[in-house]
């Protein structure tokens, strides 16, 4: 069967491209600003050819206050505010800015889980990790996303608290390495091309193109590994080992170096099987332990490597 | 003549090593924390050998509040608060935290310009620019610093509003590339070695070693080049061109690519002579224009390359 025969939804008429969900991840901020300047340009070229199935692309700057301060967020991480509980729960007292903003975004792009939601959300992110262009989704059986991932020859994993969960389909486009608060031209250009390819695929789909079943590489989350920390102060006591730094998605074997302590000692990976670390030394995960006081702050998300057949015959 | 004959000051008995002057530049934060753990270790090995001329190394975490928030600063840039006016002027109303802290540090390490000041301040910084290990000073005729620079085979430039101006001699040790808010083990290790070499030199000096006159490479600041900006919003409209990114201290020739606009256009260097850019795409300089509303936010400090004979015969 082809994707079109599988489709309950015959057309993706409303697509949202979001930047600045984290205010210091600048590629998305600058790309969305650039797209907002281009009213009827290249990015929506299909719109005029396909008048009966117009494609509407909403360009959204998700967290303007955090962008203004060039911080990840002002009060709390916006990209953890899109659970049903946060979007629909009662509030009292001082409400964090991002909770208010998540409800605004849900009204604009959702409501999450409802028929009025946009068809596809593409949320743009940067990481300090050496991950290249990487696509992250909650589900490994959303065939719209999987077709887009294959179209971009990319990868996915799962979770469900973030902005891209508001649309009927959604994923995050994550590109690195780029320091937060900095724009690197090559990273910006790769993201721009990635968004263009995603919109191209939507246009192909909307115009009735048939897509053959194929396989796509998927990394599935297994666990987090936190930095070694001082038991009293919770300060980290080691950095990622130079042999591991920048080796995202490369296999990490038992006894491979993991950390180098600030006094110079090497700490090794004590697991029993090889895993594929990613988000290695991502800036945003340093502070999580301070804020959430969990051991999950450093998402050296280790992953198994599987092939998923995403369309059956 | 040798350096010792030139010396009015026969010994450097009090040296301060400062980290966290910018709270999100983590190599210095972690290095000073590590040094604070080592009470009488390697870093002060000369102290016991030279009992008549002990070396006291003060380890200072300059901006604890900014460190806690992992931000450059809380209210205002601490490293611009060490002018005589800011340190000694009258204050009224709400005083920015960093102004209070600069006075505390001046009391601890200064008073600036007075005989009670520490002999040498080494202030540890990181940059997102690809600058390697780089030493920055206000003066190109402070022979103590120049000898240390030569000992570290490094470079310098000038200005005078920062923490290292509080001591009798002082310089900033700047290492990159490292994203702010992130520690990279290789950068940390290079900084640790740099501080050790600096302290080694002080110990050699204090024990009466004679240093021959030599030349040292010095880059002198010529001008800043700001990012292209939207005239209304002041948002930047271009990133550093991929051909220039990471090429700190390499010559930039007239008509070489300088920026790539977010729409894809190349902007070229229009100067008449080659210059040596540095601090290329440093994160902290994006916001300066917002705060100071000057055109000097992006310190692609262009520099002439000179040789300075720092000890005459």
């Amino acid at each position: 069967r082809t994707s079109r025969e599988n489709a309950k939804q015959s057309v993706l008429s409303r697509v949202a491209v979001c930047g600045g969900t984290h205010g210091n991840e600048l590629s998305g901020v600058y790309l969305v600003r650039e797209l907002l300047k281009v009213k009827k340009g290249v990015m929506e070229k299909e719109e005029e050819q396909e008048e009966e199935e117009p494609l509407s692309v909403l360009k959204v700057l998700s967290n303007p206050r955090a962008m203004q301060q060039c911080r990840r967020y002002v009060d709390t991480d916006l990209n953890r505010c899109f659970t049903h509980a946060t979007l629909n729960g009662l509030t009292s007292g001082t409400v964090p800015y991002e909770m208010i903003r998540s409800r605004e975004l849900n009204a604009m792009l959702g409501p999450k889980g409802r028929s009025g939601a946009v068809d596809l959300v593409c949320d743009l992110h940067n990481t300090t990790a050496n991950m290249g262009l990487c696509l992250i989704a909650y589900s490994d059986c959303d065939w719209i996303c999987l077709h887009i991932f294959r179209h971009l020859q990319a990868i996915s994993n799962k979770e469900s608290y973030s902005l891209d969960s508001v649309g009927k389909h959604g994923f995050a486009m994550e590109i690195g390495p780029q320091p937060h608060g900095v724009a690197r031209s090559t990273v910006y250009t790769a993201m721009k091309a990635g968004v263009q390819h995603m919109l191209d695929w939507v246009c192909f789909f909307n115009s009735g193109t048939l897509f053959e079943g194929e396989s796509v590489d998927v990394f599935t989350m297994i666990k987090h590994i936190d930095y070694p920390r001082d038991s009293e102060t919770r300060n980290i006591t080691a950095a990622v080992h130079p042999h591991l730094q920048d080796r995202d998605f490369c296999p990490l074997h038992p006894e491979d170096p993991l950390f180098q302590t600030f006094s110079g000692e090497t700490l090794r990976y004590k697991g029993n099987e090889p895993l594929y670390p990613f988000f290695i030394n991502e800036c945003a995960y340093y502070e999580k332990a301070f804020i959430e006081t969990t051991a999950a702050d450093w998402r050296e998300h280790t992953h198994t490597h599987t092939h998923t057949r995403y369309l059956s015959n």
Side-chain angles (χ1 to χ4, degrees), chain A residues 87-158:
Chain A
L87 292 174
N88 304 308
L90 291 171
T91 56
S92 61
T94 310
V95 181
Y97 166 69
E98 277 81 4
M99 283 207 189
I100 297 165
R101 185 63 184 151
S102 70
R103 289 168 183 222
E104 290 173 2
L105 289 165
N106 190 44
M108 192 189 305
L109 306 178
K112 178 172 174 166
R114 301 289 188 76
S115 61
V118 297
D119 295 310
L120 177 64
V121 173
C122 173
D123 194 28
L124 306 175
H125 288 267
N126 290 118
T127 174
T128 58
N130 186 27
M131 282 166 57
L133 188 146
C134 169
L135 304 176
I136 301 177
Y138 301 128
S139 162
D140 60 1
C141 56
D142 180 323
W143 60 271
I144 290 275
C145 287
L146 288 169
H147 267 288
I148 292 173
F149 294 175
R150 189 189 150 226
H151 189 69
L152 276 87
Q153 306 201 334
I155 47 163
S156 77
N157 83 349
K158 45 179 126 181

Side-chain angles (χ1 to χ4, degrees), chain A residues 184-197:
Chain A
R184 288 178 70 95
S185 197
T186 50
V187 171
Y188 170 85
T189 303
M191 181 177 272
K192 192 176 184 179
V195 169
Q196 182 63 66
H197 293 323

Side-chain angles (χ1 to χ4, degrees), chain A residues 170-182:
Chain A
F171 64 93
M173 184 180 291
E174 187 83 62
I175 308 194
Q178 178 174 276
H180 298 325
V182 163

